[in-house]
Amino acid sequence: MIEVSHYSKRYGAHEAVQDLSFTVQPGAVFGLLGSNGAGKTTTIRALVGLTRPTSGTVRVAGFDVWKEPVKAKAAFGYIPDRPYLYGKLTARELLRFVGQLYKVEGADAEIDRWLTLFRLEDFGNELIETFSHGMRQKVAIISAMLPDPGVLIIDEPMVGLDPHAARQVRELFRAHADRGRTVLLTTHSLPLAEAVCDRLVVLDRGRVLGEGTMDDLRTRTGTAAGGVHGDSLERIFFRLMEEEQEEERQRREVVAAG
């Protein structure tokens, strides 16, 4: 489980995230959506212990990430948007290191299985520094999922992946949640979010514009009647953005008139 309670992050006078609260239950894929600068990565960095909250709390698997960092970090796998991997190691050496760190039973057999799944079986003994960006992304995904974590935290997972691998990754995230795990992801890909996420939060400049299931968001934006199954997430997303821009314009007019 992931619990974010009244989380805020300020950089000087700029408030990157404002009073954000949400809970991700086991068995769910939860999506954080928003434009660049919306606060998605800032929230992810707080959850994985890279950015300290200005206020509020973030918990993973019941552990406060900043008060019990070792226990919290042992409970999740993390796939960053720009993974740093040790280039002078081979893919197999890196994955063996991860397996030893997390005490994965039968690690060598699991590593072989993952490398084969991502069509990297012929590159397992090659140095990571020779890999393409997409191949490195695959190794980062394997590293996060090899220990079979109870919580999976993902920042822009599809960067650099070919269509076959992207489909595999979607299915892996969905299957991970269906086994009772918790999955939180940020993405710019609205079709990906619509395909795999059970619940969504739409952020803009650190504020929540909408939260809930697809049906909740359709009702929130008055778009429930569109299409066979209701409007797409893309239309809902832009409707929320338009509403926020209109509210901002009205606020400025009130300030100017006052």
Side-chain angles (χ1 to χ4, degrees):
M1 178 185 290
I2 295 173
E3 300 168 276
V4 176
S5 179
H6 301 289
Y7 165 63
S8 296
K9 180 61 182 179
R10 182 182 293 275
Y11 298 96
H14 173 63
E15 194 163 25
V17 180
Q18 305 175 37
D19 195 30
L20 177 62
S21 296
F22 62 84
T23 300
V24 189
Q25 299 289 349
V29 180
F30 190 96
L32 282 178
L33 305 180
S35 304
N36 292 333
K40 306 184 302 298
T41 295
T42 300
T43 301
I44 292 289
R45 288 175 63 84
L47 281 167
V48 300
L50 294 176
T51 300
R52 185 180 294 275
T54 302
S55 61
T57 59
V58 291
R59 295 178 180 274
V60 175
F63 302 111
D64 187 305
V65 175
W66 290 94
K67 292 182 179 179
E68 300 176 278
V70 175
K71 291 180 179 179
K73 291 175 183 179
F76 67 76
Y78 173 44
I79 305 171
D81 59 339
R82 294 183 180 89
Y84 176 81
L85 304 175
Y86 297 103
K88 295 301 182 181
L89 295 180
T90 68
R92 195 178 300 278
E93 287 171 339
L94 175 66
L95 295 172
R96 281 176 176 162
F97 171 72
V98 172
Q100 292 170 1
L101 187 65
Y102 285 90
K103 300 179 180 178
V104 177
E105 293 186 9
D108 283 346
E110 278 297 291
I111 290 168
D112 287 341
R113 183 178 71 83
W114 280 106
L115 290 174
T116 299
L117 179 68
F118 279 106
R119 299 181 177 181
L120 293 175
E121 65 271 24
D122 293 334
F123 302 94
N125 296 319
E126 301 294 329
L127 294 179
I128 292 173
E129 67 181 7
T130 67
F131 284 13
S132 68
H133 179 78
M135 293 168 69
R136 295 184 190 202
Q137 186 73 1
K138 291 177 181 180
V139 173
I141 292 169
I142 295 171
S143 298
M145 300 196 71
L146 179 64
D148 193 23
V151 176
L152 192 58
I153 300 173
I154 311 142
D155 194 3
E156 292 294 343
M158 300 304 183
V159 177
L161 293 182
D162 57 74
H164 180 269
R167 179 178 179 180
Q168 281 183 305
V169 168
R170 286 198 306 271
E171 293 172 350
L172 283 170
F173 294 163
R174 182 69 262 170
H176 199 67
D178 289 344
R179 292 172 54 231
R181 272 64 172 169
T182 300
V183 179
L184 171 67
L185 65 86
T186 71
T187 179
H188 286 115
S189 172
L190 298 181
L192 167 65
E194 187 170 1
V196 303
C197 292
D198 301 297
R199 295 183 65 84
L200 302 152
V201 163
V202 180
L203 298 176
D204 181 56
R205 291 173 290 181
R207 293 179 293 178
V208 175
L209 301 188
E211 178 182 358
T213 64
M214 283 290 296
D215 285 341
D216 292 337
L217 293 174
R218 288 181 181 117
T219 300
R220 159 73 175 78
T221 57
T223 57
V228 177
H229 301 291
D231 272 337
S232 68
L233 181 56
E234 183 176 23
R235 288 197 62 185
I236 293 169
F237 177 82
F238 285 113
R239 182 68 176 269
L240 288 168
M241 297 295 291
E242 290 166 1
E243 290 178 357
E244 173 64 15
Q245 291 170 2
E246 177 61 21
E247 290 175 5
E248 180 66 22
R249 184 188 65 79
Q250 292 177 2
R251 286 193 292 267
R252 290 178 179 175
E253 288 180 353
V254 169
V255 171

